[in-house]
Short mmCIF file of all heavy atoms in Angstrom, two decimals:
data_model
loop_
_atom_site.label_atom_id
_atom_site.label_comp_id
_atom_site.label_asym_id
_atom_site.label_seq_id
_atom_site.Cartn_x
_atom_site.Cartn_y
_atom_site.Cartn_z
N VAL C 19 0.85 -1.20 0.00
CA VAL C 19 0.00 0.00 0.00
C VAL C 19 0.88 1.24 0.00
O VAL C 19 0.60 2.22 -0.69
CB VAL C 19 -0.93 -0.01 1.23
CG1 VAL C 19 -1.74 1.29 1.30
CG2 VAL C 19 -1.87 -1.21 1.17
N LYS C 20 1.97 1.19 0.78
CA LYS C 20 2.95 2.27 0.81
C LYS C 20 4.34 1.67 0.77
O LYS C 20 4.55 0.52 1.16
CB LYS C 20 2.80 3.12 2.09
CG LYS C 20 1.54 3.96 2.13
CD LYS C 20 1.55 4.87 3.35
CE LYS C 20 0.33 5.78 3.36
NZ LYS C 20 0.35 6.69 4.54
N ASN C 21 5.30 2.45 0.29
CA ASN C 21 6.68 1.98 0.21
C ASN C 21 7.46 2.24 1.49
O ASN C 21 8.67 2.00 1.54
CB ASN C 21 7.38 2.64 -0.98
CG ASN C 21 6.85 2.13 -2.30
OD1 ASN C 21 6.62 0.94 -2.45
ND2 ASN C 21 6.64 3.03 -3.25
N GLU C 22 6.78 2.73 2.53
CA GLU C 22 7.42 3.00 3.81
C GLU C 22 6.64 2.27 4.89
O GLU C 22 5.42 2.22 4.85
CB GLU C 22 7.43 4.50 4.10
CG GLU C 22 8.08 4.89 5.40
CD GLU C 22 8.12 6.39 5.60
OE1 GLU C 22 7.04 7.02 5.54
OE2 GLU C 22 9.21 6.92 5.83
N PRO C 23 7.34 1.69 5.87
CA PRO C 23 6.62 1.02 6.96
C PRO C 23 5.86 2.01 7.82
O PRO C 23 6.14 3.21 7.82
CB PRO C 23 7.74 0.32 7.74
CG PRO C 23 8.95 1.14 7.44
CD PRO C 23 8.79 1.61 6.02
N GLY C 24 4.91 1.50 8.57
CA GLY C 24 4.16 2.36 9.49
C GLY C 24 4.97 2.78 10.69
O GLY C 24 4.71 3.81 11.30
N LEU C 25 5.96 1.97 11.07
CA LEU C 25 6.85 2.26 12.19
C LEU C 25 8.29 2.27 11.70
O LEU C 25 8.67 1.43 10.88
CB LEU C 25 6.71 1.20 13.29
CG LEU C 25 5.36 1.05 13.97
CD1 LEU C 25 5.37 -0.16 14.89
CD2 LEU C 25 5.00 2.30 14.76
N VAL C 26 9.09 3.22 12.19
CA VAL C 26 10.51 3.23 11.85
C VAL C 26 11.33 3.40 13.13
O VAL C 26 10.83 3.92 14.14
CB VAL C 26 10.88 4.36 10.86
CG1 VAL C 26 10.14 4.17 9.54
CG2 VAL C 26 10.61 5.72 11.44
N ILE C 27 12.56 2.94 13.07
CA ILE C 27 13.49 3.05 14.20
C ILE C 27 14.49 4.16 13.90
O ILE C 27 15.13 4.17 12.85
CB ILE C 27 14.25 1.73 14.43
CG1 ILE C 27 13.27 0.57 14.62
CG2 ILE C 27 15.18 1.86 15.63
CD1 ILE C 27 12.36 0.71 15.82
N LEU C 28 14.61 5.10 14.84
CA LEU C 28 15.62 6.16 14.75
C LEU C 28 16.77 5.83 15.69
O LEU C 28 16.58 5.23 16.75
CB LEU C 28 15.03 7.52 15.14
CG LEU C 28 13.75 7.99 14.46
CD1 LEU C 28 13.44 9.42 14.91
CD2 LEU C 28 13.85 7.91 12.96
N ARG C 29 17.97 6.24 15.30
CA ARG C 29 19.14 6.12 16.17
C ARG C 29 19.92 7.42 16.10
O ARG C 29 19.72 8.24 15.21
CB ARG C 29 20.02 4.94 15.76
CG ARG C 29 19.32 3.59 15.86
CD ARG C 29 20.26 2.44 15.53
NE ARG C 29 19.53 1.18 15.45
CZ ARG C 29 19.21 0.40 16.48
NH1 ARG C 29 19.59 0.77 17.70
NH2 ARG C 29 18.55 -0.72 16.31
N GLY C 30 20.81 7.62 17.03
CA GLY C 30 21.62 8.83 17.05
C GLY C 30 22.16 9.08 18.43
O GLY C 30 22.12 8.21 19.32
N THR C 31 22.66 10.29 18.67
CA THR C 31 23.29 10.58 19.95
C THR C 31 22.29 10.60 21.11
O THR C 31 22.68 10.42 22.26
CB THR C 31 24.01 11.94 19.90
OG1 THR C 31 23.07 12.97 19.54
CG2 THR C 31 25.14 11.92 18.87
N VAL C 32 21.00 10.80 20.81
CA VAL C 32 19.99 10.76 21.86
C VAL C 32 19.50 9.33 22.09
O VAL C 32 19.12 8.97 23.20
CB VAL C 32 18.79 11.67 21.50
CG1 VAL C 32 17.69 11.58 22.57
CG2 VAL C 32 19.24 13.12 21.36
N ALA C 33 19.53 8.52 21.04
CA ALA C 33 18.98 7.16 21.12
C ALA C 33 19.95 6.16 20.50
O ALA C 33 19.66 5.60 19.44
CB ALA C 33 17.63 7.11 20.42
N PRO C 34 21.09 5.91 21.14
CA PRO C 34 22.04 4.97 20.55
C PRO C 34 21.49 3.55 20.42
O PRO C 34 21.93 2.80 19.55
CB PRO C 34 23.23 5.01 21.53
CG PRO C 34 22.70 5.62 22.78
CD PRO C 34 21.60 6.53 22.38
N ASP C 35 20.51 3.19 21.26
CA ASP C 35 19.91 1.86 21.17
C ASP C 35 18.56 1.88 20.45
O ASP C 35 17.86 0.88 20.43
CB ASP C 35 19.74 1.26 22.57
CG ASP C 35 21.07 0.91 23.21
OD1 ASP C 35 22.03 0.65 22.46
OD2 ASP C 35 21.16 0.89 24.45
N GLY C 36 18.22 3.03 19.89
CA GLY C 36 17.01 3.12 19.08
C GLY C 36 15.87 3.86 19.75
O GLY C 36 15.84 4.06 20.96
N ALA C 37 14.94 4.30 18.92
CA ALA C 37 13.69 4.93 19.35
C ALA C 37 12.67 4.67 18.24
O ALA C 37 13.04 4.37 17.11
CB ALA C 37 13.87 6.44 19.57
N ILE C 38 11.40 4.78 18.57
CA ILE C 38 10.34 4.38 17.65
C ILE C 38 9.49 5.58 17.25
O ILE C 38 9.11 6.39 18.10
CB ILE C 38 9.45 3.30 18.29
CG1 ILE C 38 10.28 2.06 18.62
CG2 ILE C 38 8.29 2.93 17.38
CD1 ILE C 38 9.53 0.99 19.37
N VAL C 39 9.17 5.65 15.96
CA VAL C 39 8.25 6.67 15.45
C VAL C 39 7.17 5.97 14.62
O VAL C 39 7.47 5.14 13.78
CB VAL C 39 8.96 7.70 14.55
CG1 VAL C 39 7.96 8.72 14.01
CG2 VAL C 39 10.05 8.42 15.31
N LYS C 40 5.91 6.32 14.90
CA LYS C 40 4.82 5.84 14.06
C LYS C 40 4.65 6.83 12.92
O LYS C 40 3.91 7.81 13.02
CB LYS C 40 3.53 5.70 14.86
CG LYS C 40 2.40 5.02 14.09
CD LYS C 40 1.11 4.98 14.88
CE LYS C 40 0.39 6.30 14.76
NZ LYS C 40 -0.98 6.27 15.33
N VAL C 41 5.36 6.59 11.83
CA VAL C 41 5.33 7.54 10.71
C VAL C 41 3.95 7.60 10.07
O VAL C 41 3.58 8.60 9.45
CB VAL C 41 6.39 7.22 9.64
CG1 VAL C 41 7.77 7.49 10.17
CG2 VAL C 41 6.28 5.80 9.15
N ALA C 42 3.15 6.53 10.24
CA ALA C 42 1.80 6.55 9.70
C ALA C 42 0.95 7.63 10.37
O ALA C 42 -0.06 8.07 9.81
CB ALA C 42 1.14 5.18 9.88
N GLY C 43 1.37 8.06 11.58
CA GLY C 43 0.61 9.08 12.29
C GLY C 43 1.23 10.46 12.22
O GLY C 43 0.72 11.40 12.85
N VAL C 44 2.33 10.62 11.47
CA VAL C 44 2.98 11.92 11.40
C VAL C 44 2.11 12.93 10.66
O VAL C 44 2.05 14.11 11.00
CB VAL C 44 4.37 11.79 10.73
CG1 VAL C 44 4.96 13.16 10.43
CG2 VAL C 44 5.31 11.01 11.66
N GLY C 45 1.40 12.46 9.63
CA GLY C 45 0.47 13.33 8.92
C GLY C 45 1.16 14.52 8.30
O GLY C 45 2.16 14.38 7.57
N ASN C 46 0.67 15.72 8.63
CA ASN C 46 1.20 16.94 8.04
C ASN C 46 2.38 17.51 8.81
O ASN C 46 2.89 18.58 8.45
CB ASN C 46 0.09 18.00 7.95
CG ASN C 46 -1.01 17.60 6.99
OD1 ASN C 46 -0.76 16.98 5.96
ND2 ASN C 46 -2.25 17.96 7.32
N ALA C 47 2.79 16.84 9.88
CA ALA C 47 3.96 17.32 10.63
C ALA C 47 5.21 17.17 9.77
O ALA C 47 5.26 16.37 8.83
CB ALA C 47 4.11 16.53 11.93
N ARG C 48 6.24 17.94 10.12
CA ARG C 48 7.48 17.91 9.34
C ARG C 48 8.24 16.62 9.56
O ARG C 48 8.30 16.10 10.67
CB ARG C 48 8.35 19.09 9.75
CG ARG C 48 7.82 20.44 9.29
CD ARG C 48 8.65 21.57 9.88
NE ARG C 48 8.16 21.97 11.18
CZ ARG C 48 8.75 22.86 11.96
NH1 ARG C 48 9.88 23.41 11.58
NH2 ARG C 48 8.22 23.18 13.12
N ARG C 49 8.85 16.10 8.50
CA ARG C 49 9.66 14.88 8.61
C ARG C 49 11.06 15.20 9.11
O ARG C 49 11.75 14.33 9.62
CB ARG C 49 9.72 14.16 7.26
CG ARG C 49 8.38 13.59 6.81
CD ARG C 49 8.52 12.88 5.48
NE ARG C 49 9.40 11.73 5.56
CZ ARG C 49 8.98 10.49 5.83
NH1 ARG C 49 7.70 10.25 6.06
NH2 ARG C 49 9.84 9.48 5.87
N GLN C 50 11.48 16.44 8.95
CA GLN C 50 12.72 16.93 9.57
C GLN C 50 12.34 18.06 10.52
O GLN C 50 11.57 18.96 10.15
CB GLN C 50 13.71 17.45 8.52
CG GLN C 50 14.35 16.37 7.67
CD GLN C 50 13.48 15.92 6.53
OE1 GLN C 50 12.71 16.72 5.98
NE2 GLN C 50 13.57 14.66 6.16
N PHE C 51 12.85 18.00 11.73
CA PHE C 51 12.47 18.98 12.74
C PHE C 51 13.69 19.28 13.59
O PHE C 51 14.38 18.37 14.05
CB PHE C 51 11.35 18.42 13.62
CG PHE C 51 10.61 19.45 14.43
CD1 PHE C 51 9.33 19.84 14.09
CD2 PHE C 51 11.20 20.02 15.57
CE1 PHE C 51 8.64 20.78 14.85
CE2 PHE C 51 10.53 20.96 16.32
CZ PHE C 51 9.24 21.33 15.96
N GLU C 52 13.97 20.55 13.79
CA GLU C 52 15.06 20.97 14.68
C GLU C 52 14.55 22.09 15.56
O GLU C 52 13.95 23.05 15.08
CB GLU C 52 16.27 21.43 13.89
CG GLU C 52 17.45 21.82 14.77
CD GLU C 52 18.72 22.09 13.98
OE1 GLU C 52 18.71 21.91 12.74
OE2 GLU C 52 19.73 22.47 14.60
N GLY C 53 14.78 21.94 16.85
CA GLY C 53 14.31 22.98 17.76
C GLY C 53 14.92 22.81 19.14
O GLY C 53 15.57 21.81 19.44
#
């Protein structure tokens, strides 16, 4: 149905062991965010 999963795993300096985002629920929010 879509070429992207509904859930994705993020990693980085805040989440070296991973974190979860439900991208199916991001909607109109920005996919890149800095603040």
